[in-house]
Amino acid sequence: SSDSPNFLAWNDVAVATDGSIYAVGSNGTNYGILTKYSANYIKQWQLQIGYDVDTTGKAVAIDSAGNVYVTGNVADGSVYVSKINPTTGAEIWTKTFGITAQTFTSGGIAAVMKAASEFIVIATVNGTTTTFVTLNSAGTIIEQKSVSNLVTKRIRKQDSVTTGRFTFAGTDGSTAGKFGVAEVAGATRLVTLS
């Protein structure tokens, strides 16, 4: 689209139930970009995401109420997740994750249902350990679950289920592919591809 800034990459896209399209990427300078398009591909708004150092937009998810969540990397070694108002593009809250002297990268985001509750799950990767961080829609951390020898590249909710399950895919950090299924407040099952 001619409306798009000079992106190095669009990294992820999500489609809402009304057909609205949310695309997240990076503008090649210091900021991540989240853009909303209508179902007719007309740009509605664009949000610049930045935290004083280089920031990327890595993944986007939409919950059942239509709220938008975006995650990505910050050059200081942290990972952020932000809840965005779908109508205005205003930031509702932002949380960051990272530990001094360690580098974290974003491995994706998913909005999942368990019973009548909705949760946001992000994957943070430190070396070859993935930690799945589960938050409620207010941004409160519910649980953190670490899996060693897993470099997660993408996570997705399991469609049309209310078990709190999500799928993930990545590598062991070297030569083997891995995928699996995890559950909020439940089990994690890994499969290694040889």
Side-chain angles (χ1 to χ4, degrees):
S1 167
S2 59
D3 288 335
S4 300
N6 184 24
F7 284 98
L8 290 179
W10 287 108
N11 291 325
D12 198 17
V13 64
V15 180
T17 55
D18 68 357
S20 297
I21 302 161
Y22 297 88
V24 66
S26 301
N27 69 354
T29 57
N30 297 331
Y31 298 100
I33 299 289
L34 176 66
T35 305
K36 177 182 180 180
Y37 295 91
S38 70
N40 296 322
Y41 314 111
I42 298 168
K43 186 164 76 172
Q44 305 297 297
W45 50 255
Q46 189 166 76
L47 175 65
Q48 183 173 276
I49 306 163
Y51 299 98
D52 297 326
V53 292
D54 289 352
T55 304
T56 62
K58 191 82 179 287
V60 61
I62 304 167
D63 69 15
S64 61
N67 294 302
V68 180
Y69 301 84
V70 63
T71 185
N73 304 327
V74 184
D76 65 2
S78 62
V79 171
Y80 71 88
V81 57
S82 298
K83 181 177 182 178
I84 308 299
N85 181 302
T87 303
T88 64
E91 187 177 298
I92 298 170
W93 53 253
T94 294
K95 305 290 181 182
T96 56
F97 305 90
I99 299 174
T100 304
Q102 295 185 346
T103 299
F104 285 72
T105 59
S106 172
I109 190 169
V112 300
M113 294 288 294
K114 185 159 187 174
S117 298
E118 188 143 32
F119 300 96
I120 305 306
V121 180
I122 67 167
T124 64
V125 181
N126 177 19
T128 58
T129 298
T130 291
T131 300
F132 297 110
V133 181
T134 302
L135 306 97
N136 64 18
S137 60
T140 302
I141 296 175
I142 303 302
E143 72 172 352
Q144 298 185 58
K145 183 183 303 187
S146 293
V147 182
S148 59
N149 297 317
L150 173 65
V151 179
T152 301
K153 302 293 186 182
R154 192 75 69 201
I155 63 175
R156 289 286 184 256
K157 70 176 179 179
Q158 283 195 318
D159 292 335
S160 304
V161 294
T162 59
T163 59
R165 291 186 189 139
F166 57 95
T167 59
F168 55 88
T171 72
D172 68 354
S174 57
T175 59
K178 286 193 172 185
F179 70 90
V181 177
E183 183 179 330
V184 172
T188 300
R189 292 181 289 282
L190 271 172
V191 175
T192 301
L193 303 175
S194 55

